[in-house]
Amino acid sequence: MTETTTFRLSDAQVAAFHRDGFLAIEQLTTADEVASMREVYDRLFSRRDFDQGDHLELSEVDAEGRETLPQILSPEKYAPELASTLARRNALALARQLLGPEAEHSGDHAIMKPPGLGAPTPWHQDEAYWNPAVLHTALSIWMPLQEATVENGCMCFVPGSHVRDVVPHHLASADAHALEVDSSDLVADEVACPIPAGGATIHHCRTVHYAGPNVSTTPRRAYIMGFHGQHRPLPVARDFSWQRPEWTA
Ligand SMILES: O=C(O)CCC(=O)C(=O)O
């Protein structure tokens, strides 16, 4: 990343992120870049030759064998142009403003909800997927490549939930890779964040969040960029018994 960016959040936006554990912004990149990323995205979701583990069904295939919540991990490995976008540069600037100047990019992923059959992404905290022996300082920047609406599965957050530790989760179903919080009591006062194409939501790794099903007639394409600050190794690993053995391997 050689080019610089002048992208900045206001003091009020920074304060809102630290208070609520999430933030929505109207524009992270240009309409032209969204259009070119969308072409790359659709090409990636039509290929099948991924390395082991880089293409996962987060939910369950339907009765006709169609994926309902496909995810591609490290899409930039398959389309290197995704690593040098304006969106990525702006996202890094924003992550450094929120986590500190030492923040670094940790990886991208892409989650698609097919039209009409896109499954809900269950309520969860991202840190529940990660190494329990480390206290993570991290955030995700979620950018839709079309307008994100309640109808097509925009992000929803529980304000202030990032101040908790990681709460118990379970696999959403036997064949699924998606985790879900055990207790629905945690889900209160949730805020849905519809945003334009090329806008973004930013959430802390312990913010409880969800994205609804896609009941619209067009795909919901989300491109997600992860960033981490300093991690703190814990003297004793937490018990994340819900993780699949292959994740920690
Ligand atoms: O795109 C989605 O449906 C969910 C995204 C998500 O959970 C995340 O970015 O942490």
Side-chain angles (χ1 to χ4, degrees), residues 159-178:
S161 51
H162 62 307
V163 299
R164 303 169 179 272
D165 197 351
V166 175
V167 298
H169 284 67
H170 56 271
L171 281 168
S173 68
D175 296 332
H177 284 86

PDB file of all heavy atoms in Angstrom, residues 159-178:
ATOM      1  N   PRO A 159     -26.033  -2.214  20.581  1.00  0.00           N
ATOM      2  CA  PRO A 159     -25.169  -1.129  21.056  1.00  0.00           C
ATOM      3  C   PRO A 159     -24.584  -1.434  22.431  1.00  0.00           C
ATOM      4  O   PRO A 159     -25.288  -1.923  23.321  1.00  0.00           O
ATOM      5  CB  PRO A 159     -26.100   0.084  21.146  1.00  0.00           C
ATOM      6  CG  PRO A 159     -27.301  -0.275  20.343  1.00  0.00           C
ATOM      7  CD  PRO A 159     -27.411  -1.768  20.343  1.00  0.00           C
ATOM      8  N   GLY A 160     -23.312  -1.177  22.614  1.00  0.00           N
ATOM      9  CA  GLY A 160     -22.647  -1.331  23.912  1.00  0.00           C
ATOM     10  C   GLY A 160     -22.249  -2.763  24.235  1.00  0.00           C
ATOM     11  O   GLY A 160     -21.622  -3.021  25.263  1.00  0.00           O
ATOM     12  N   SER A 161     -22.561  -3.725  23.370  1.00  0.00           N
ATOM     13  CA  SER A 161     -22.288  -5.139  23.688  1.00  0.00           C
ATOM     14  C   SER A 161     -20.791  -5.464  23.626  1.00  0.00           C
ATOM     15  O   SER A 161     -20.369  -6.513  24.126  1.00  0.00           O
ATOM     16  CB  SER A 161     -23.072  -6.068  22.756  1.00  0.00           C
ATOM     17  OG  SER A 161     -22.886  -5.723  21.406  1.00  0.00           O
ATOM     18  N   HIS A 162     -19.977  -4.591  23.073  1.00  0.00           N
ATOM     19  CA  HIS A 162     -18.529  -4.843  22.950  1.00  0.00           C
ATOM     20  C   HIS A 162     -17.803  -4.746  24.282  1.00  0.00           C
ATOM     21  O   HIS A 162     -16.642  -5.135  24.372  1.00  0.00           O
ATOM     22  CB  HIS A 162     -17.903  -3.864  21.959  1.00  0.00           C
ATOM     23  CG  HIS A 162     -18.011  -2.420  22.374  1.00  0.00           C
ATOM     24  ND1 HIS A 162     -19.210  -1.835  22.721  1.00  0.00           N
ATOM     25  CD2 HIS A 162     -17.069  -1.457  22.536  1.00  0.00           C
ATOM     26  CE1 HIS A 162     -18.997  -0.573  23.057  1.00  0.00           C
ATOM     27  NE2 HIS A 162     -17.710  -0.324  22.953  1.00  0.00           N
ATOM     28  N   VAL A 163     -18.470  -4.226  25.326  1.00  0.00           N
ATOM     29  CA  VAL A 163     -17.768  -4.098  26.611  1.00  0.00           C
ATOM     30  C   VAL A 163     -17.763  -5.421  27.390  1.00  0.00           C
ATOM     31  O   VAL A 163     -17.058  -5.564  28.379  1.00  0.00           O
ATOM     32  CB  VAL A 163     -18.355  -2.962  27.486  1.00  0.00           C
ATOM     33  CG1 VAL A 163     -18.233  -1.615  26.783  1.00  0.00           C
ATOM     34  CG2 VAL A 163     -19.800  -3.254  27.870  1.00  0.00           C
ATOM     35  N   ARG A 164     -18.562  -6.403  26.941  1.00  0.00           N
ATOM     36  CA  ARG A 164     -18.550  -7.730  27.600  1.00  0.00           C
ATOM     37  C   ARG A 164     -17.344  -8.525  27.141  1.00  0.00           C
ATOM     38  O   ARG A 164     -16.785  -8.257  26.091  1.00  0.00           O
ATOM     39  CB  ARG A 164     -19.734  -8.570  27.140  1.00  0.00           C
ATOM     40  CG  ARG A 164     -21.040  -7.997  27.333  1.00  0.00           C
ATOM     41  CD  ARG A 164     -22.043  -8.852  26.571  1.00  0.00           C
ATOM     42  NE  ARG A 164     -23.361  -8.333  26.765  1.00  0.00           N
ATOM     43  CZ  ARG A 164     -24.150  -8.694  27.780  1.00  0.00           C
ATOM     44  NH1 ARG A 164     -23.754  -9.610  28.626  1.00  0.00           N
ATOM     45  NH2 ARG A 164     -25.328  -8.148  27.927  1.00  0.00           N
ATOM     46  N   ASP A 165     -17.080  -9.625  27.881  1.00  0.00           N
ATOM     47  CA  ASP A 165     -16.131 -10.618  27.368  1.00  0.00           C
ATOM     48  C   ASP A 165     -16.899 -11.430  26.298  1.00  0.00           C
ATOM     49  O   ASP A 165     -18.076 -11.170  26.037  1.00  0.00           O
ATOM     50  CB  ASP A 165     -15.638 -11.525  28.509  1.00  0.00           C
ATOM     51  CG  ASP A 165     -14.353 -12.282  28.113  1.00  0.00           C
ATOM     52  OD1 ASP A 165     -13.956 -12.224  26.920  1.00  0.00           O
ATOM     53  OD2 ASP A 165     -13.772 -12.953  28.983  1.00  0.00           O
ATOM     54  N   VAL A 166     -16.229 -12.414  25.740  1.00  0.00           N
ATOM     55  CA  VAL A 166     -16.915 -13.287  24.777  1.00  0.00           C
ATOM     56  C   VAL A 166     -17.921 -14.141  25.552  1.00  0.00           C
ATOM     57  O   VAL A 166     -17.586 -14.726  26.581  1.00  0.00           O
ATOM     58  CB  VAL A 166     -15.892 -14.165  24.031  1.00  0.00           C
ATOM     59  CG1 VAL A 166     -16.597 -15.153  23.117  1.00  0.00           C
ATOM     60  CG2 VAL A 166     -14.947 -13.274  23.219  1.00  0.00           C
ATOM     61  N   VAL A 167     -19.151 -14.184  25.059  1.00  0.00           N
ATOM     62  CA  VAL A 167     -20.212 -14.948  25.733  1.00  0.00           C
ATOM     63  C   VAL A 167     -20.304 -16.338  25.088  1.00  0.00           C
ATOM     64  O   VAL A 167     -19.778 -16.539  23.993  1.00  0.00           O
ATOM     65  CB  VAL A 167     -21.572 -14.205  25.628  1.00  0.00           C
ATOM     66  CG1 VAL A 167     -21.509 -12.858  26.329  1.00  0.00           C
ATOM     67  CG2 VAL A 167     -22.009 -14.042  24.176  1.00  0.00           C
ATOM     68  N   PRO A 168     -20.964 -17.303  25.746  1.00  0.00           N
ATOM     69  CA  PRO A 168     -21.068 -18.640  25.144  1.00  0.00           C
ATOM     70  C   PRO A 168     -21.784 -18.637  23.793  1.00  0.00           C
ATOM     71  O   PRO A 168     -22.771 -17.929  23.596  1.00  0.00           O
ATOM     72  CB  PRO A 168     -21.866 -19.428  26.185  1.00  0.00           C
ATOM     73  CG  PRO A 168     -21.591 -18.718  27.475  1.00  0.00           C
ATOM     74  CD  PRO A 168     -21.493 -17.260  27.115  1.00  0.00           C
ATOM     75  N   HIS A 169     -21.230 -19.431  22.880  1.00  0.00           N
ATOM     76  CA  HIS A 169     -21.782 -19.602  21.522  1.00  0.00           C
ATOM     77  C   HIS A 169     -21.975 -21.099  21.263  1.00  0.00           C
ATOM     78  O   HIS A 169     -21.422 -21.943  21.966  1.00  0.00           O
ATOM     79  CB  HIS A 169     -20.806 -19.071  20.470  1.00  0.00           C
ATOM     80  CG  HIS A 169     -20.742 -17.577  20.344  1.00  0.00           C
ATOM     81  ND1 HIS A 169     -20.257 -16.750  21.340  1.00  0.00           N
ATOM     82  CD2 HIS A 169     -21.059 -16.748  19.320  1.00  0.00           C
ATOM     83  CE1 HIS A 169     -20.312 -15.487  20.942  1.00  0.00           C
ATOM     84  NE2 HIS A 169     -20.790 -15.456  19.721  1.00  0.00           N
ATOM     85  N   HIS A 170     -22.694 -21.408  20.201  1.00  0.00           N
ATOM     86  CA  HIS A 170     -22.796 -22.787  19.695  1.00  0.00           C
ATOM     87  C   HIS A 170     -22.808 -22.718  18.173  1.00  0.00           C
ATOM     88  O   HIS A 170     -23.090 -21.653  17.593  1.00  0.00           O
ATOM     89  CB  HIS A 170     -24.071 -23.468  20.215  1.00  0.00           C
ATOM     90  CG  HIS A 170     -25.318 -22.706  19.872  1.00  0.00           C
ATOM     91  ND1 HIS A 170     -25.854 -21.718  20.683  1.00  0.00           N
ATOM     92  CD2 HIS A 170     -26.121 -22.748  18.783  1.00  0.00           C
ATOM     93  CE1 HIS A 170     -26.923 -21.203  20.116  1.00  0.00           C
ATOM     94  NE2 HIS A 170     -27.114 -21.807  18.949  1.00  0.00           N
ATOM     95  N   LEU A 171     -22.523 -23.852  17.527  1.00  0.00           N
ATOM     96  CA  LEU A 171     -22.649 -23.911  16.070  1.00  0.00           C
ATOM     97  C   LEU A 171     -24.131 -23.797  15.721  1.00  0.00           C
ATOM     98  O   LEU A 171     -24.964 -24.481  16.336  1.00  0.00           O
ATOM     99  CB  LEU A 171     -22.093 -25.226  15.533  1.00  0.00           C
ATOM    100  CG  LEU A 171     -20.574 -25.294  15.409  1.00  0.00           C
ATOM    101  CD1 LEU A 171     -20.135 -26.718  15.153  1.00  0.00           C
ATOM    102  CD2 LEU A 171     -20.050 -24.365  14.314  1.00  0.00           C
ATOM    103  N   ALA A 172     -24.448 -22.933  14.755  1.00  0.00           N
ATOM    104  CA  ALA A 172     -25.849 -22.651  14.463  1.00  0.00           C
ATOM    105  C   ALA A 172     -26.600 -23.914  14.029  1.00  0.00           C
ATOM    106  O   ALA A 172     -27.792 -24.041  14.267  1.00  0.00           O
ATOM    107  CB  ALA A 172     -25.956 -21.557  13.414  1.00  0.00           C
ATOM    108  N   SER A 173     -25.911 -24.851  13.365  1.00  0.00           N
ATOM    109  CA  SER A 173     -26.493 -26.174  13.115  1.00  0.00           C
ATOM    110  C   SER A 173     -25.343 -27.140  12.861  1.00  0.00           C
ATOM    111  O   SER A 173     -24.208 -26.710  12.635  1.00  0.00           O
ATOM    112  CB  SER A 173     -27.465 -26.159  11.937  1.00  0.00           C
ATOM    113  OG  SER A 173     -26.754 -25.923  10.765  1.00  0.00           O
ATOM    114  N   ALA A 174     -25.655 -28.430  12.880  1.00  0.00           N
ATOM    115  CA  ALA A 174     -24.591 -29.435  12.857  1.00  0.00           C
ATOM    116  C   ALA A 174     -23.645 -29.270  11.668  1.00  0.00           C
ATOM    117  O   ALA A 174     -22.441 -29.408  11.800  1.00  0.00           O
ATOM    118  CB  ALA A 174     -25.214 -30.817  12.848  1.00  0.00           C
ATOM    119  N   ASP A 175     -24.192 -28.931  10.503  1.00  0.00           N
ATOM    120  CA  ASP A 175     -23.350 -28.833   9.306  1.00  0.00           C
ATOM    121  C   ASP A 175     -22.813 -27.431   9.072  1.00  0.00           C
ATOM    122  O   ASP A 175     -22.039 -27.208   8.150  1.00  0.00           O
ATOM    123  CB  ASP A 175     -24.156 -29.236   8.057  1.00  0.00           C
ATOM    124  CG  ASP A 175     -24.563 -30.688   8.132  1.00  0.00           C
ATOM    125  OD1 ASP A 175     -23.832 -31.457   8.779  1.00  0.00           O
ATOM    126  OD2 ASP A 175     -25.621 -31.027   7.584  1.00  0.00           O
ATOM    127  N   ALA A 176     -23.260 -26.483   9.887  1.00  0.00           N
ATOM    128  CA  ALA A 176     -22.919 -25.086   9.612  1.00  0.00           C
ATOM    129  C   ALA A 176     -21.555 -24.719  10.179  1.00  0.00           C
ATOM    130  O   ALA A 176     -21.039 -25.387  11.078  1.00  0.00           O
ATOM    131  CB  ALA A 176     -23.972 -24.184  10.230  1.00  0.00           C
ATOM    132  N   HIS A 177     -20.959 -23.677   9.636  1.00  0.00           N
ATOM    133  CA  HIS A 177     -19.735 -23.128  10.204  1.00  0.00           C
ATOM    134  C   HIS A 177     -20.037 -21.878  11.023  1.00  0.00           C
ATOM    135  O   HIS A 177     -19.158 -21.340  11.681  1.00  0.00           O
ATOM    136  CB  HIS A 177     -18.733 -22.800   9.102  1.00  0.00           C
ATOM    137  CG  HIS A 177     -18.068 -24.011   8.540  1.00  0.00           C
ATOM    138  ND1 HIS A 177     -18.612 -24.753   7.522  1.00  0.00           N
ATOM    139  CD2 HIS A 177     -16.907 -24.626   8.889  1.00  0.00           C
ATOM    140  CE1 HIS A 177     -17.814 -25.776   7.255  1.00  0.00           C
ATOM    141  NE2 HIS A 177     -16.775 -25.728   8.072  1.00  0.00           N
ATOM    142  N   ALA A 178     -21.271 -21.362  10.934  1.00  0.00           N
ATOM    143  CA  ALA A 178     -21.594 -20.114  11.628  1.00  0.00           C
ATOM    144  C   ALA A 178     -21.855 -20.374  13.106  1.00  0.00           C
ATOM    145  O   ALA A 178     -22.493 -21.360  13.475  1.00  0.00           O
ATOM    146  CB  ALA A 178     -22.814 -19.467  10.999  1.00  0.00           C
TER     147      ALA A 178
END
